[in-house]
Every structure is written in structure tokens, then in C-alpha cells.
Amino acid sequence: MGGKAMARLVAILFLAIVMIVTLIRMERNGDLPPLPGSEAPARQEDSLREGQRRCQRMGEAAAEDAECLAIWAETRDRFLGRDPAQSATTPSREE
């Protein structure tokens, strides 16, 4: 290895060590912003989600339960971005 290559390698290692030490100090002082995904956002209680879980536990019996059918209709409306009133007026295509 030539002298220039060795000097470059030492310089790169030196810079890497300096950056690591700086990051460690910033983390200890609390200067770093939190990493994305490190903190789960606080979720609001969602009655729809609770109803979905209840229907899921019911298994096949949920297909006959009127409350579960309403919960699934609301879930579908939320997913598709529709108003519940809009889906009530839209005729369903049952064959």
C-alpha cells in the first residue's frame, strides 16, 4: 500500500470515529430527534376496531350477525373513503 492510500485510509477512519463520538454525545444530551418508528404514536380508542375484533372472535357466526355486518360496512366505507349515507343509497350487486 502506498503512502497516499495509507494517509487516505487513516483520514477516513479518523472522520468515522469523530462522527460516531459526536452522535453518541448528541444522543446522551438529547439533541437528536427521535428516530422514525422508535416511538409508537398514541392511538385513540376506536370502537370500530373493538367491534371488528369481537366479530373476528365470533368466526363464521359473524356472517349472520347484523351488528357485524354493519361494522364491516362501516369498515368498507372508511377504507374506500365513502360516506355511510352514500353506501346506503348505492344498490348492492348480489347474485
Side-chain angles (χ1 to χ4, degrees), residues 14-75:
F14 177 75
L15 289 175
I17 291 170
V18 167
M19 290 171 58
I20 290 171
V21 168
T22 302
L23 285 173
I24 291 171
R25 284 190 178 181
M26 287 176 70
E27 184 178 4
R28 285 185 183 165
N29 293 340
D31 295 340
L32 284 178
L35 296 174
S38 63
E39 293 181 18
R43 294 192 177 192
Q44 299 175 0
E45 290 296 320
D46 190 4
S47 61
L48 181 63
R49 182 173 291 282
E50 292 171 14
Q52 289 170 335
R53 296 288 184 221
R54 185 185 65 80
C55 294
Q56 183 182 23
R57 287 189 298 270
M58 287 177 66
E60 288 184 30
E64 303 296 325
D65 186 48
E67 190 175 329
C68 288
L69 293 174
I71 288 172
W72 290 333
E74 185 177 349
T75 302

